[in-house]
Amino acid sequence: MPHFSRRSFLHLSAATTAAAAFRLMNEPMLAAASRGHSHAADAVLIDSNENPLGPCQAACDAMSALLHQGGRYSDELTDILVSTFAQMEGLNPNWVRATVGSTPPLALAILTLTSPTKSYVAADPGFETGMHMAAVSGARIVNVPLSKSYAHDVKAMLAAAPDAGVFYICNPNNPTGTLTPQSDIEYLVAHKPAGSIVLVDEAYIHFSEAPSALNLVKDGKEVIVLRTFSKVYGMAGLRCGFIIASPKLLEKVLQHGGYNFMPITAVAAATASLKDPQLVPERRRINANIRQQTFQWLDRAGYSYIPSESNCFLLDTKRPGKDVREAMATENVMIGRVWPSMPTWVRVTVGTAEEMSRFRFAFQKVMKA
Ligand SMILES: Cc1ncc(COP(=O)(O)O)c(C=O)c1O
């Protein structure tokens, strides 16, 4: 009798409830809803784009050091986090708000900036949370296929929606892990309909060498950038992120979302992580090495995939991806979901070297069966 983890049951019930009440779906809920069943406690979890390394040592130390202060709201710690980030990025702190991960500001931005007359424009395949929120706001949802190089096709996005409220750019993109050149994002910003907003989701930016769109925010463009500590920083369960935009835009997006105090553990861990100069380059290197080893193995074994610059990639299964996902689950390896526009592809998160070795063994077995 396999031992099922508590995590899956929580996710499954949360996904069902959230879908019914708010239709707010985030990455773990999407992963659990698509998984459809629980997994064993020792399963390889490469289905939610988590970082198996977890928080860095300095982050763990910072959290331990203030556990006894957990009875205090200590909002000054959030101010320190925001000013640390703002200083590192050359931003005015008034242009930065800390949030519990980047799902809440993403959801609020789409709810506020799209409507039945202001459409939501995104790439396909793309990260689905914005689309779910656009459905709630009653907006037209315009999904534009990625270009041949798997970048956002900004010219097609512009042509498809003269009524756009939001252009959602995820860079690197989830699920493909591919980049959209900065020049294309700049073109989109320069040619977008007046009043529309370009929302650049940089959840995975640190895994790549891509430049950030923060410069566009600094230049006063109608651009919002989202960051999260859930990916390279390994803090998905701790919940911390940023929304960065002009104070006017921040006020508009966050006005109905209220302001809630940040968990002090997440804030302390985030500040310590930002101050660790080795964290990003080291983790970027670790992820790239394991991703490269995985790609080399896939090449040797004759499987196709989309080359990625991130911690996930799309893998061609040449048969319904859903079936492969199910078969992998019986091998105790949970791989990611399938996008409707690419039904014979599955998303795989880059795990540890050991996890990817278990992935390779199971995938070979499933594909040869
Ligand atoms: C593209 C993208 N944006 C935003 C998020 C939100 O992550 P979180 O709410 O954990 O910060 C995710 C999570 O996987 C994501 O893939």
Side-chain angles (χ1 to χ4, degrees):
M1 177 76 182
H3 176 252
F4 292 123
S5 81
R6 186 169 158 269
R7 167 189 140 117
S8 312
F9 291 115
L10 282 174
H11 281 187
L12 283 174
S13 63
T16 315
T17 314
F22 309 109
R23 280 177 270 169
L24 169 65
M25 294 289 266
N26 59 17
E27 179 61 46
M29 288 175 175
L30 289 160
S34 145
R35 190 184 303 144
H37 52 71
S38 302
H39 57 77
D42 64 346
V44 173
L45 299 179
I46 47 175
D47 62 344
S48 304
N49 288 357
E50 294 162 328
N51 187 338
L53 301 179
C56 68
Q57 190 55 48
C60 293
D61 293 345
M63 287 190 285
S64 312
L66 57 64
L67 283 179
H68 64 283
Q69 289 175 40
R72 303 282 175 196
Y73 293 115
S74 301
D75 55 324
E76 69 280 2
L77 295 177
T78 301
D79 296 340
I80 293 170
L81 169 64
V82 166
S83 58
T84 303
F85 175 74
Q87 196 179 12
M88 286 171 71
E89 299 289 352
L91 288 155
N92 184 322
N94 292 337
W95 291 51
V96 180
R97 287 283 181 85
T99 50
V100 283
S102 62
T103 298
L106 170 57
L108 286 170
I110 305 304
L111 279 178
T112 314
L113 304 169
T114 68
S115 70
T117 56
K118 289 183 181 176
S119 62
Y120 172 74
V121 194
D124 184 22
F127 184 53
E128 308 94 321
T129 294
M131 185 177 68
H132 287 288
M133 298 324 291
V136 174
S137 76
R140 185 168 74 95
I141 295 166
V142 185
N143 281 321
V144 178
L146 291 171
S147 71
K148 281 199 174 63
S149 60
Y150 300 101
H152 290 67
D153 188 341
V154 295
K155 288 190 177 157
M157 290 171 88
L158 284 164
D163 64 339
V166 171
F167 293 94
Y168 174 70
I169 304 284
C170 188
N171 202 31
N173 188 43
N174 178 5
T176 51
T178 48
L179 295 178
T180 297
Q182 178 82 350
S183 54
D184 287 359
I185 299 176
E186 285 168 5
Y187 182 94
L188 175 63
V189 172
H191 293 88
K192 70 181 183 55
S196 62
I197 302 294
V198 175
L199 176 55
V200 188
D201 186 335
E202 296 188 341
Y204 300 92
I205 191 91
H206 295 111
F207 288 115
S208 75
E209 304 280 351
S212 167
L214 281 176
N215 279 343
L216 295 168
V217 176
K218 286 183 214 168
D219 287 349
K221 308 286 186 206
E222 288 171 308
V223 173
I224 297 175
V225 171
L226 298 179
R227 290 280 182 89
T228 178
F229 285 85
S230 295
K231 305 302 172 183
V232 87
Y233 295 103
M235 288 177 39
L238 292 164
R239 314 303 299 138
C240 194
F242 292 125
I243 175 170
I244 306 115
S246 69
K248 205 170 131 203
L249 208 41
L250 286 182
E251 174 61 25
K252 187 171 180 184
V253 167
L254 300 175
Q255 63 182 326
H256 300 303
Y259 175 76
N260 207 343
F261 284 98
M262 295 288 295
I264 60 170
T265 40
V267 167
T271 307
S273 301
L274 287 178
K275 287 182 175 168
D276 180 345
Q278 297 310 321
L279 189 154
V280 171
E282 200 171 294
R283 289 177 171 208
R284 180 189 294 147
R285 187 179 46 75
I286 292 170
N287 177 69
N289 282 346
I290 298 172
R291 189 180 64 215
Q292 209 41 42
Q293 281 162 15
T294 308
F295 287 171
Q296 282 165 0
W297 178 82
L298 289 168
D299 287 337
R300 283 198 303 275
Y303 299 115
S304 316
Y305 57 90
I306 297 175
S308 151
E309 309 268 343
S310 185
N311 73 336
C312 64
F313 61 93
L314 281 184
L315 177 58
D316 187 358
T317 53
K318 302 200 189 301
R319 62 180 92 157
K322 227 171 139 279
D323 297 350
V324 173
R325 203 167 180 269
E326 279 304 306
M328 291 292 282
T330 61
E331 298 299 323
N332 220 7
V333 177
M334 314 303 297
I335 58 171
R337 59 190 176 276
V338 176
W339 268 253
S341 58
M342 297 180 78
T344 58
W345 297 70
V346 290
R347 189 189 69 186
V348 177
T349 303
V350 177
T352 61
E354 201 255 322
E355 286 171 336
M356 296 319 278
S357 141
R358 284 175 66 188
F359 157 78
R360 291 195 295 269
F361 183 81
F363 188 64
Q364 187 80 303
K365 185 172 168 192
V366 164
M367 294 304 281
K368 298 253 183 264

